[in-house]
Structure formats: structure tokens, C-alpha cells
Amino acid sequence: EEVLASVAVLPADAAAEPEIRRLAGIAHQARGDWDTALELLSGVAHTDAFDAAVAWRLGLIHHLRGSLDRALEIYERGAEVADPPADGAICAAWAASARWLRGERDACAALADEAMVRATALDDPRALAAAHMVLAMLAALDGDRRGNDAHYLRAIEHADAAGDVLQLIRIRSNRASHHLEEGAFEDALAEVEVARHLAELTGFTPFMALTLSNRAEALVGLGRLEEAVVDAADAVAAWRALGSRLVVYGLEEQARIQRLRGDVTGAIATFREVLAEADATGEVQGLVPSLAKLAELVWHDDPDEARALLDRALEAGEGMGYVAARLSAARLALADDRRAEARGHIHEGRDAATDRRDRPALALLTELEAAMDADTAAAETAIEQWRDLGDVVGLAGAELTRAELVGGAAAAEAAAGVQARMQALGCRLYDQRINALLAAGTAPTPGVVAIRTLGAFEVLRDGVPIPRTAWQSRKARELVKLLASRRGRPTSREWLAEQLWPDTEPAVAAKRLNVMASTVRTIVDPDKELPSDHVVASERDTLGLDLRHASLDVEELFADVDRATRLDQDGHHDEALACWRSAEQRYRGDFCEDEVYADWAVGIREEARAAYAQAVARLAAAATAAGRHDEAVRFWLRLLERDPYDERAHLALVGALLAASRRGDARRRYQTYVERVRELGVEPAAFPVT
């Protein structure tokens, strides 16, 4: 600050001198003002004022914006200049880090060794911290956990000695990643909090984004999905504000959370965005896990694409995403009944996971082997592994695997227990497995059709989702959505035809509508076992869903809210609370969320949002009254995810965090509230007093 204040009072011609621009650029870079630093230092790069101290700072800006080619060019130029010598060593270390990101192991190792040789000769703590940092990353790439630990500890020691805050933030962030790989989620959070505090104090925005991504991953491991959603979104926003393609780290977390919460369509779209950004930068470490997860998500709809994605992931070699790629390959081979291939992937994955001390991967591999061999003892082992990690979502998956193996009434009971726990967390990853186990424990009811419109649209026949490939026509799906928006009321054929074919002659559109209605009836009753109007009722001028034979989730949501309201009014608060909870759990997302611009969806979408908000607020208030403050936090965060400008929810969230003795989080959430209401031109309320 003193340097910049001094530069500000210089005459314009003096401030334009390369030496002064160099000094000001370094100060802006240290303060986190990357745009100004880039402008100043880029100009210096073509003058005699350019040296290694400018090089690594300028290269770092390009590096953290995902322009790895440009960063490498500048780093290597600075390493060659090697003046000042310590900064030349730092240039070599940062160049090694960029090579690491691109998966270029040998080039990374050569530069890391060069950095260490130079730093050791100089005995400079800044240079030694940078060299140990990249050697720790290289050890992680090689699966050398002992070396990884040792180099991180030495890096912290030297960065502390140098008072180098930037490197301390980076080291703490990377150590958090190290703990996450081992499934030590609480340890990761502790490292993140140190890095986050330093980043907030200094304004190092890129490292703030990285700490938020790491924090989101740790919170997922602990089952705190609502908080993870906020951190992942904030990480993405921070990377985007920098114009950085390293936004892949935030996007990857967003996609993982979307998948956990049952938003498969959103997860696929976000993973595709990760691939596009990573391909543009040449970044490999974040690319491979996303390739593997995307392959799993598209497998049922496009197995050829899934195989191509997996091939790319496996071809990347034994980098940081190698175990994730082997896991996905094993899952898909097993799903395709290629058991020998699955076993090979499991064995390869286990060897690598053991070397890396990747405990979550080892638990997943044990669980996969249990499913493949119908081995209940292995399933029990996986359960214990997940329990030791404290990973509630992983534990639930292993319990379902055991239930699938034992079958019978015990399986249905176990599935019901998992369902209750996952619903409380807002996790829908296992919905299909849970529903299958519950259905197996009850007598089948032929002809049952369930229409889901909240979140991703789907229709279930006898409890099984009808795949997209069975629909024959996109218009058939649209017809069901239109009828669902009318909530079982008879709907004019003329209106339906106009919505589906707005630019078609009415007579032609009417004939097409008849064909689509017949198509829908065939899809929901392919064996012709039921009356033709069992689900789609038909009159001369109207069509409508017969809700006596088809369940509609949005209608059930409204019914729950109406029942809860009446029970509350009559003083039956415990019974009302059960209905409020049922309503909240039915809401998987906005009504027909893929029909964003459809006028016919607007009214019912807003009505469903309001019903959901009413249910969540009631549950949050009940949790607060019972002293369950962390549960109240989850509910208020769910509400703010739907409406980020809800002042009542913001202030209630801050109050719940204070009641839970989470004052740092309360302060951060209050600042978010202040920013939101000021966007609306409203004066914020005072920070709550407890």
C-alpha cells in the first residue's frame, strides 16, 4: 500500500518509467489486483526493467487464468535470465507446476530438480518453499505419499521463514487437496480455513477460488451439501471474475454436487463445460476425473460416447485422475456384464489407490468387488471403511450394496433407513436403487404410472423410468408435460395442438395431436393391458391426465402443503410437520426445468416454488425452535438457493449460524446478504445480536 501511495503522487512522466511501472506492477500483483498488474508488467516485459522477479509474477497471472502456454514462455524466460537468482529459481518451480497441470511428468521433474538445485545453492527460503512445493506435487503425481508429506512440511517451514503469504496460501490449499484425496475431510477443512483467512486478508482472489473449491469438496464428504453448493458457486464466480479457464476446478465440484442431488441433466451439462475449458488450456489433472464421471452419466443413453470418454481418461496415464478412471471403467464393465474386464480395472485401481492412500477409492473398490462377487463380507468391510472416513453418502451407498445382496424384508428396511438419511441431506444419488429395493418388498401393482415434473422430467412405469429412447418422439414427451401443467383438468385439443405446432395448419396439427396421444398411450402401456384412456383421458374436444391412475409429483406437493396448513391451523403441529417435510422432499427442482422459456409452465412453476419455500421456512423454524441449528442452516441455504434475494432467509441463516457458534461463517453470510440487498438498492439490516 505504501509503494502504491508513493507511485500515485509521482508526476506522470516519472510514473511511466519502466522501473516505476515494474515496482507498481509487483505491488498490484501482491495485493491481488491482477488486471492492473497484468497491464503494468506486460509493458515492462519488453524493456530492460524485465527480470526474473517480474517474470514469475507475470507468468503467474497467465497461469492462474489458464493460459499455460503463455505462462510457460514467461517462466522459462525468467529462469534463463536468473536475475535476481532466487526469483530465477522460483520461475523454474512455477514452470514445473504448469507442466504438472498439463500432465507432462518428465518435464515437470526436470524443472523441479533445477529449482531445488538453484534454491539450495542460494539457501533462499522463498525459493526453497517454491521448490519443495512443486516436488510435493510431483510426489503426489507419482503416488509417493511419504515424499508428498515431507515436501509440504518443508515448504511450509521455508514459506513461514520468508513471510511469503502467497506461497503459504498455495501450500495450505494444496495440503487441503492432499487430505481430500485421503478422505480426511476435517483435516482438509482445517487447512482450507487457514488458507481462506490469509486469502481474505491479502486479496489473492485466485487462491480464494481454489480454497472455496477445496472446501466444497470437503463439505460434500461430510454430507453438508447445501453449504457445498454455496462454496462451489462462489468458486466458479471468483474464477470467472478473473477470466480464468481454471474455473474447471469450481465447475467440477458443481457437477459432482448436481449428481449427488439427482440433477443428472445439469451434471452432464456442467461436466461438458469442464471438458471444453480443460481442452482449451491443456490442463489434464481436472480433465480426467470429469471424463470418467461423464462417461458414467451418459452410459445408458449413449454407450458409444461413454466408451470414448473412458478411453480418453485411461489414455492419460497414471496421473492424479488415474484411480477415478479405473473406478468408472470397472463400474461400466460390470454394468455391461464384462466381469473379467471389471476385475482387472478393480485390481489396477486398488494398487494405485493403496500407493496414494486414497481411502475413499479403496472403499469404492471394495464395494464394487462385493457387488460383483455377491460377497456380503466385502460389503461389510466397505461399510466399515466409509464409517471410518465419516463419509455419510459413501456409507449409504455401501449399505445399499449390502441390502441388494441380502434381499427380502431386511433389504427394504435398510433402504427405508438410507432414504430417510439421504432425504435429510438433500441427496438423491441413490433414489433409483432405494426405490427398487422398496418396490421389491411390496406386491407389484401393474399399470402404475408416475409423472415427475419437479426437476428433470421423467415418467415411470411400474416404478421404472421410461428411457428417452423409448419415447419415439420429442413431441410425445412435450404433450405429457403440457397435460401435467394442467394438473388433470381437461384441456382443449386446439390449445394443445397450437402449443406443439404453432406454425402448422389447425387441421394438420389436430391429426398430429391424435397420433401423439396414441404414442403416449403405447409408451405407458406397451402391452395393451389397460383401457386406452387409463392415463390419457379423451373427450371429443379435450385431453387430460387421469390422476386416479397416474401420480403427478407437483399435484402431490400442493396436496401436502394444503394438508399441512390445515393441520397447523387446527393445532396438530407434529402431524403438520410431517406433511411439510413430505412437501419439501418432493421438490427436486423447478417445474419442467428444461422448459425455461415456455409460457405455459410459468404459472405452475411459480406456484410450486412458493409452496416449496413455505415448506422449507416452516421446517427451518421448527429446527430452530428445537435447537437443531445446523439443520436450520441447511434449510435456509436451500431456500436461498432458489431465491438469493430473500432477506428473511438471509438474516435467519446468519442467526442460525450464530446459534451454532459458527461466527466466521455467520460474518461471511452476512456480507453476502449485504451485497444482495444493495444490488436491489435497499439498506441492509444490522448484523444480528445474540
Side-chain angles (χ1 to χ4, degrees):
E1 297 295 338
E2 291 181 25
V3 167
L4 292 174
S6 300
V7 170
V9 299
L10 289 175
D13 57 343
E17 288 293 324
E19 286 289 350
I20 299 300
R21 288 173 64 86
R22 172 189 179 281
L23 192 62
I26 289 174
H28 279 292
Q29 191 271 347
R31 196 173 66 166
D33 182 357
W34 301 89
D35 286 332
T36 306
L38 184 63
E39 179 184 352
L40 291 167
L41 296 179
S42 294
V44 171
H46 303 291
T47 71
D48 291 339
F50 177 84
D51 60 12
V54 169
W56 74 258
R57 291 176 169 89
L58 181 57
L60 179 59
I61 296 171
H62 289 293
H63 182 144
L64 294 176
R65 286 185 166 170
S67 302
L68 297 182
D69 287 342
R70 180 64 177 139
L72 277 167
E73 178 186 333
I74 296 169
Y75 288 147
E76 289 170 0
R77 181 181 165 198
E80 184 178 348
V81 170
D83 182 29
D87 291 284
I90 292 172
C91 281
W94 275 111
S97 298
R99 297 287 183 190
W100 184 91
L101 274 178
R102 298 198 333 184
E104 298 169 359
R105 192 264 171 215
D106 291 344
C108 170
L111 284 163
D113 288 343
E114 178 185 340
M116 180 55 75
V117 168
R118 292 191 188 193
T120 302
L122 294 166
D123 196 25
D124 182 90
R126 284 190 313 133
L128 284 165
H132 279 293
M133 177 76 236
V134 72
L135 284 169
M137 294 164 64
L138 185 64
L141 193 64
D142 291 341
D144 176 9
R145 278 316 206 193
R146 193 182 298 272
N148 182 247
D149 290 335
H151 283 299
Y152 274 137
L153 291 173
R154 295 300 305 278
I156 289 175
E157 177 187 333
H158 290 300
D160 270 331
D164 191 330
V165 179
L166 186 148
Q167 289 208 78
L168 282 171
I169 296 169
R170 183 188 181 211
I171 295 162
R172 294 289 185 179
S173 297
N174 281 21
R175 273 177 60 84
S177 297
H178 162 95
H179 289 310
L180 289 170
E181 289 156 15
E182 296 186 356
F185 305 117
E186 294 288 1
D187 291 342
L189 278 180
E191 292 284 6
V192 163
E193 288 309 314
V194 174
R196 184 173 175 172
H197 176 66
L198 290 172
E200 285 175 342
L201 288 175
T202 55
F204 287 131
T205 307
F207 290 110
M208 173 65 80
L210 187 58
T211 62
L212 286 167
S213 296
N214 285 338
R215 189 170 189 269
E217 187 175 349
L219 291 170
V220 166
L222 295 170
R224 293 159 59 181
L225 300 188
E226 291 81 9
E227 294 173 75
V229 167
V230 174
D231 282 348
D234 287 348
V236 169
W239 284 120
R240 291 206 189 286
L242 288 164
S244 174
R245 291 191 179 277
L246 297 187
V247 69
V248 293
Y249 294 113
L251 289 172
E252 187 177 9
E253 284 310 309
Q254 278 193 325
R256 289 179 67 235
I257 297 166
Q258 287 169 322
R259 176 173 171 266
L260 286 170
R261 301 176 90 197
D263 181 7
V264 174
T265 303
I268 288 172
T270 306
F271 274 129
R272 291 197 191 284
E273 195 173 352
V274 171
L275 266 54
E277 296 285 1
D279 282 338
T281 63
E283 197 274 347
V284 170
Q285 309 303 344
L287 172 67
V288 174
S290 294
L291 286 167
K293 290 298 181 189
L294 182 57
E296 290 188 49
L297 291 174
V298 303
W299 175 258
H300 289 294
D301 287 336
D302 194 340
D304 289 339
E305 182 189 7
R307 291 188 191 96
L309 290 165
L310 262 183
D311 286 345
R312 281 189 65 192
L314 293 169
E315 286 166 5
E318 297 189 16
M320 298 303 293
Y322 177 76
V323 177
R326 288 291 178 183
L327 266 167
S328 295
R331 281 199 188 98
L332 297 187
L334 188 58
D336 206 25
D337 202 29
R338 291 177 278 119
R339 302 171 72 82
E341 183 180 336
R343 198 176 300 281
H345 288 304
I346 288 172
H347 289 166
E348 292 285 344
R350 179 174 284 113
D351 288 345
T354 300
D355 289 342
R356 297 175 185 279
R357 298 207 300 257
D358 188 340
R359 296 193 296 157
L362 287 169
L364 283 169
L365 289 161
T366 302
E367 191 180 329
L368 267 178
E369 206 158 33
M372 183 168 61
D373 296 335
D375 185 345
T376 54
E380 293 287 354
T381 300
I383 287 171
E384 289 307 313
Q385 288 173 316
W386 286 119
R387 190 172 283 127
D388 288 344
L389 288 168
D391 188 320
V392 291
V393 176
L395 174 61
E399 289 177 340
L400 290 175
T401 296
R402 178 180 60 185
E404 288 159 349
L405 294 176
V406 301
E413 183 180 351
V418 170
Q419 182 181 54
R421 299 202 314 270
M422 292 301 98
Q423 285 177 341
L425 297 179
C427 176
R428 297 184 178 273
L429 177 65
Y430 305 122
D431 279 5
Q432 287 190 15
R433 294 174 66 187
I434 290 169
N435 291 337
L437 285 166
L438 293 175
T442 58
T445 306
V448 172
V449 173
I451 301 170
R452 294 180 178 169
T453 58
L454 297 172
F457 173 80
E458 62 180 354
V459 177
L460 287 77
R461 183 176 59 225
D462 298 334
V464 179
I466 298 173
R468 281 181 175 269
T469 52
W471 278 90
Q472 305 173 35
S473 167
R474 182 172 57 85
K475 294 293 183 184
R477 286 169 58 87
E478 290 181 18
L479 174 58
V480 178
K481 293 177 187 178
L482 287 164
L483 294 174
S485 75
R486 304 295 294 167
R487 298 172 57 188
R489 296 189 295 271
T491 303
S492 159
R493 288 174 177 267
E494 181 180 353
W495 181 82
L496 291 168
E498 184 179 348
Q499 298 301 315
L500 291 167
W501 300 282
D503 301 321
T504 303
E505 288 292 327
V508 175
K511 290 179 180 178
R512 291 180 179 175
L513 179 61
N514 288 335
V515 173
M516 285 302 103
S518 178
T519 299
V520 170
R521 291 179 175 124
T522 299
I523 289 168
V524 299
D525 181 25
D527 298 327
K528 308 291 185 185
E529 296 176 340
L530 304 168
S532 62
D533 60 352
H534 187 73
V535 173
V536 180
S538 175
E539 298 293 340
R540 175 169 180 161
D541 297 322
T542 65
L543 291 174
L545 292 175
D546 188 336
L547 297 186
R548 295 173 300 174
H549 305 134
S551 66
L552 180 61
D553 59 353
V554 69
E555 190 67 13
E556 292 168 342
L557 167 69
F558 294 141
D560 280 339
V561 169
D562 289 344
R563 192 178 305 114
T565 303
R566 288 196 304 272
L567 286 166
D568 265 335
Q569 290 170 347
D570 294 340
H572 303 301
H573 300 303
D574 289 343
E575 295 173 56
L577 203 59
C579 291
W580 289 122
R581 196 172 298 280
S582 175
E584 192 274 333
Q585 289 167 356
R586 291 189 195 281
Y587 196 87
R588 299 179 302 141
D590 286 340
F591 177 84
C592 290
E593 62 186 9
D594 56 339
E595 300 287 356
V596 179
Y597 304 108
D599 292 339
W600 52 264
V602 173
I604 189 171
R605 182 177 293 143
E606 292 301 321
E607 190 177 354
R609 280 179 181 171
Y612 173 72
Q614 188 179 357
V616 174
R618 181 67 181 82
L619 291 168
T624 299
R628 300 190 304 271
H629 301 298
D630 285 330
E631 182 181 340
V633 166
R634 291 201 300 268
F635 283 127
W636 290 124
L637 284 169
R638 289 179 194 179
L639 197 52
L640 287 169
E641 187 180 352
R642 299 293 169 186
D643 182 4
Y645 296 97
D646 186 330
E647 184 173 29
R648 174 197 59 167
H650 276 292
L651 293 173
L653 171 60
V654 173
L657 288 166
L658 289 171
S661 300
R662 296 167 58 183
R663 299 194 66 83
D665 286 334
R667 286 284 178 190
R668 282 188 282 269
R669 293 307 307 181
Y670 177 75
Q671 188 57 44
T672 300
Y673 153 71
V674 169
E675 292 168 2
R676 291 292 177 271
V677 297
R678 283 181 175 164
E679 288 173 17
L680 301 175
V682 176
E683 189 66 24
F687 186 81
V689 177
T690 59

